[in-house]
Amino acid sequence: MNTSNSLCQQLLEFLNQHQLLGRPLTLAYSGGCDSQVLLHLLASLKNQSQLTTQLQAIHVHHGLSENADDWLRFTKQQAQQLGIPYQAIKVDLTAQKRQSLEALARDARYQALSEHSADDAVILTAHHQDDQLETMLLALKRGSGVSGLAAMSDIRAHNKQQLLARPLLSSSRMDIEHYAEQHNLDWVEDESNVDERFDRNFLRRRIIPSLLERWPHMLSSSSRSAKHFSEAQQLLEHYAKDDIDTISNADKQLLIEPLKALSAARQRNVIRFYCKQHGVLMPSEAQLEQIMHTCVYAKVDANPQVKLANAMVRRYKQQLLITPIYQDLSNWAQTIDINDLPQQVSLPDDLGVLQLDMVDHQHAFELKGSPQLLPISNDCQQLILDFNYQNVKVWPDFRDKRRELKKVYQELALPNWQRGRQINVRIEQTLAAVVDRFINKDYLQSLATTSDKHQKLLRIRRCD
């Protein structure tokens, strides 16, 4: 069987797998040789009525090359010639700390592909055996574990219901280039692919040719190794899930003492998988040891934390949990003019929206929900919302005496990292209330000493 028929049959068998059948397909189409061949193969199956599902090609324009506009025009023309629906998406790359430009471009590309595909789409990429070997060698260079050495899977979950699939992963670069030559295909050449300052290019151009010259079957053997590592990783995750089910509470937080009862290897395995469950980038070996030393084996009454790339690992009340990395909100404040109510206030850092309005006592409870009702003097013109946490003495409406705010929050079982995220309501420099927590009796007493008979209430509600 020639290369053309072999690749066509391989693609057809791949797409006929049960988990892919009937799903709309999106091809990640760069215009390079690999994705050009995959586009041509898909179009051939379409023309032969062997592929009947919805298909589109998406080209992501990163703007990193001076040739990017030419590549966009080329890919659009090629897709139109083959009768494949086409989209070009331009992305803006904003540099992030500790993230290479290559990683930034990859993340932006997959996000664009996901956002412009159907909810249950299969996103197809043209990765092949040579890419797999490069990925394994890069993982080995970084000192990766089983998960890293498993390299790329042929099918994996991508985003909610979407899947990411690599139908050419068992084919070599030579097979793909031979197909392109057989069919006289044109493609674009990314000039950055010859820049050996990039590790992947160095491997591709210098190292792997020497390896294949000495061991011609290394592509297929490394692919087998990747599958073995993948199976081993599945077993590790199976055992980690069983351990987590045993040592976690109803809130899916890890209980410290049962965690410590596991062997050191199982502890590390649990924490790695716990991070994966929460969508956290895998901690490095140094970060993992820091979590073990700082959090797991901390003093009983300690509440330490370890910052990872995109989350915080925290210990609180003998439990290990993961939270987002919260913003410092101490300088945020918003002045509200009473005469402008009703008003909605958008809070920072994904804390939602507050609805503020003035109501008569008679109608205070007509709306659904559990609003917080704060008496307001008729002379009051403004109030201030802020997150400025200060450990002052307060007199909550649920207590019979004053207490430091820190102690009040402890009484309310509010973790220390949440204390600077509580919404304070200040009226004339006085802390009148903390939204959803309490009204300050000192503020209520100050109202009682005035001759003003407050006729209305400030109603504070969270919007859904």
Side-chain angles (χ1 to χ4, degrees):
M1 185 180 290
N2 63 30
T3 302
S4 179
N5 291 335
S6 175
L7 284 180
C8 243
Q9 185 62 31
Q10 176 186 318
L11 177 59
L12 184 60
E13 291 175 1
F14 183 89
L15 295 177
N16 281 335
Q17 293 180 85
H18 176 72
Q19 64 205 100
L20 304 184
L21 275 177
R23 287 174 174 258
L25 304 176
T26 293
L27 170 62
Y29 180 39
S30 68
C33 181
D34 307 332
S35 65
Q36 186 70 7
V37 165
L38 187 50
L39 179 76
H40 192 271
L41 286 166
L42 290 165
S44 298
L45 293 179
K46 271 283 190 185
N47 292 335
Q48 298 166 27
S49 299
Q50 292 181 292
L51 179 63
T52 58
T53 190
Q54 179 184 338
L55 171 66
Q56 68 166 342
I58 293 183
H59 175 77
V60 179
H61 183 300
H62 300 100
L64 295 177
S65 169
E66 61 183 13
N67 299 312
D69 291 338
D70 293 335
W71 299 341
L72 188 153
R73 284 189 287 270
F74 172 82
T75 53
K76 181 178 181 180
Q77 179 190 49
Q78 292 292 308
Q80 287 176 341
Q81 287 179 359
L82 293 171
I84 304 298
Y86 170 90
Q87 290 188 70
I89 311 298
K90 291 189 176 183
V91 295
D92 179 29
L93 300 182
T94 304
Q96 304 287 331
K97 290 182 179 179
R98 296 184 180 181
Q99 190 171 28
S100 68
L101 187 61
E102 185 181 14
L104 190 64
R106 181 186 62 244
D107 292 347
R109 180 166 61 253
Y110 280 119
Q111 182 177 349
L113 290 166
S114 179
E115 290 176 351
H116 292 84
S117 299
D119 290 343
D120 61 341
V122 178
I123 297 172
L124 302 175
T125 70
H127 293 104
H128 45 68
Q129 277 187 338
D130 298 66
D131 296 317
Q132 184 78 306
L133 178 55
E134 291 167 13
T135 303
M136 289 186 71
L137 291 174
L138 288 170
L140 194 63
K141 185 265 296 184
R142 291 192 297 266
S144 299
V146 173
S147 177
L149 292 170
M152 296 181 287
S153 57
D154 56 355
I155 301 174
R156 69 169 177 83
H158 176 57
N159 183 27
K160 296 181 181 178
Q161 301 177 52
Q162 294 176 343
L163 297 176
L164 181 67
R166 302 178 175 98
L168 303 181
L169 202 56
S170 60
S171 302
S172 68
R173 177 180 284 114
M174 185 180 296
D175 290 337
I176 291 169
E177 290 177 349
H178 187 209
Y179 180 99
E181 291 171 2
Q182 280 185 318
H183 293 271
N184 297 314
L185 300 183
D186 295 320
W187 61 85
V188 301
E189 293 284 1
D190 186 343
E191 68 277 5
S192 70
N193 286 339
V194 299
D195 186 347
E196 294 183 8
R197 292 176 299 176
F198 295 107
D199 291 343
R200 188 176 288 273
N201 293 341
F202 176 75
L203 287 172
R204 182 180 302 153
R205 294 170 61 84
R206 295 283 191 93
I207 305 302
I208 291 178
S210 297
L211 293 175
L212 295 180
E213 184 180 358
R214 178 66 182 261
W215 300 294
H217 299 294
M218 189 168 182
L219 284 177
S220 57
S221 62
S222 62
S223 290
R224 287 197 303 273
S225 292
K227 290 180 180 178
H228 295 325
F229 282 122
S230 179
E231 289 180 358
Q233 180 62 23
Q234 290 174 36
L235 283 173
L236 287 172
E237 292 187 356
H238 173 79
Y239 289 126
K241 186 178 183 303
D242 283 350
D243 282 340
I244 287 174
D245 290 343
T246 301
I247 66 172
S248 60
N249 60 17
D251 295 324
K252 303 299 181 182
Q253 298 164 346
L254 302 182
L255 303 175
I256 292 294
E257 290 306 316
L259 176 62
K260 288 165 64 175
L262 301 176
S263 68
R266 284 173 70 180
Q267 290 176 26
R268 289 192 292 269
N269 188 44
V270 162
I271 292 171
R272 287 192 193 98
F273 188 64
Y274 191 61
C275 288
K276 181 177 180 179
Q277 284 183 318
H278 286 77
V280 176
L281 295 176
M282 198 59 59
S284 66
E285 190 69 20
Q287 288 173 325
L288 194 56
E289 289 304 316
Q290 187 181 7
I291 292 170
M292 299 295 295
H293 177 74
T294 305
C295 294
V296 176
Y297 288 94
K299 293 180 180 179
V300 173
D301 58 348
N303 297 313
Q305 61 189 33
V306 173
K307 185 176 181 180
L308 303 181
N310 60 337
M312 297 289 287
V313 178
R314 305 180 190 268
R315 172 172 168 157
Y316 179 70
K317 288 190 173 180
Q318 289 290 78
Q319 297 160 2
L320 201 69
L321 64 154
I322 292 176
T323 72
I325 299 174
Y326 296 124
Q327 295 177 17
D328 179 2
L329 305 178
S330 57
N331 292 322
W332 187 95
Q334 186 161 337
T335 300
I336 307 296
D337 192 324
I338 298 297
N339 294 322
D340 289 340
L341 299 182
Q343 183 175 335
Q344 287 191 344
V345 180
S346 295
L347 302 172
D349 205 23
D350 299 322
L351 282 171
V353 177
L354 284 185
Q355 172 73 39
L356 306 179
D357 54 2
M358 301 301 299
V359 294
D360 295 325
H361 289 259
Q362 181 180 354
H363 302 103
F365 297 97
E366 286 184 356
L367 291 181
K368 294 181 180 179
S370 302
Q372 192 169 24
L373 301 168
L374 183 65
I376 295 289
S377 166
N378 282 334
D379 294 335
C380 179
Q381 298 298 312
Q382 290 183 335
L383 60 88
I384 295 175
L385 301 179
D386 68 35
F387 295 90
N388 189 10
Y389 170 61
Q390 297 175 341
N391 191 27
V392 296
K393 279 197 171 184
V394 294
W395 192 0
D397 52 359
F398 60 83
R399 299 193 94 257
D400 58 1
K401 60 182 179 180
R402 295 176 181 83
R403 204 173 190 193
E404 290 181 348
L405 187 55
K406 175 182 177 180
K407 298 293 185 181
V408 172
Y409 283 157
Q410 288 175 345
E411 189 175 338
L412 293 171
L414 196 66
N416 54 354
W417 64 87
Q418 289 287 359
R419 293 168 193 172
R421 297 173 61 80
Q422 304 307 302
I423 312 160
N424 304 314
V425 181
R426 301 186 192 276
I427 296 176
E428 296 180 355
Q429 308 302 315
T430 300
L431 178 62
V434 177
V435 175
D436 294 334
R437 301 300 176 187
F438 63 84
I439 294 175
N440 191 357
K441 284 185 181 179
D442 284 323
Y443 165 74
L444 296 178
Q445 280 195 345
S446 70
L447 282 182
T449 60
T450 68
S451 59
D452 177 45
K453 294 182 179 179
H454 34 275
Q455 300 296 318
K456 292 186 178 181
L457 297 170
L458 171 67
R459 179 170 51 192
I460 306 171
R461 293 176 295 128
R462 288 189 179 271
C463 298
D464 294 333

